[in-house]
Amino acid sequence: MLKNLGIGLIFTIIALMIGVFTGDWNLFFKLIVAAAVIPLVLSGLLTGAFVDGDRNRANYHTETKKDRKDKNKWVTKLLIIGVPNFSLLIILIILGF
C-alpha cells in the first residue's frame, strides 16, 4: 500500500520538477490532473462503474472469486496511486491556482 502511495508521490514530484524547470505551471497543472484522473478512470473501468446494472450483475456472477479479489486489489492500488495527485489538485483549486 505504501509502495503505491510512493508511486503517486513520485508522479507528483516529477510533475512539480517539470513545472519548476520549465516555468510552465499550466503544464504542471495538466500533469497533476492527468495523474489524478487516469487512475480514477482505470479503476472505474475495472469495477464496472460505467456499465449498466444488469451487465454489472452478469459480470459479477460470471467471474471467479479469485478474479474478483485480484480486480479489487488493482482498483485499490490505482486509487492509492491517485491520492497524492488528488490531494495536491484539491489544494491548488482551493488556493486558486
Side-chain angles (χ1 to χ4, degrees), residues 28-43:
F28 164 71
F29 194 73
K30 288 177 185 177
L31 289 172
I32 292 297
V33 168
V37 170
I38 290 173
L40 179 66
V41 170
L42 289 175
S43 64

Side-chain angles (χ1 to χ4, degrees), residues 43 46 69-79 81:
S43 64
L46 285 174
K69 185 177 177 182
D70 291 342
K71 179 182 69 173
N72 288 336
K73 274 187 193 178
W74 275 102
V75 168
T76 305
K77 288 178 183 181
L78 287 169
L79 289 176
I81 288 172

Side-chain angles (χ1 to χ4, degrees), residues 1 4-5 14-15 22 32 36 40 45 60 62 66 85 88:
M1 197 134 134
N4 298 317
L5 188 64
I14 289 172
T22 63
I32 292 297
L40 179 66
L45 289 172
Y60 178 81
T62 57
K66 182 187 178 306
N85 300 300
L88 182 60

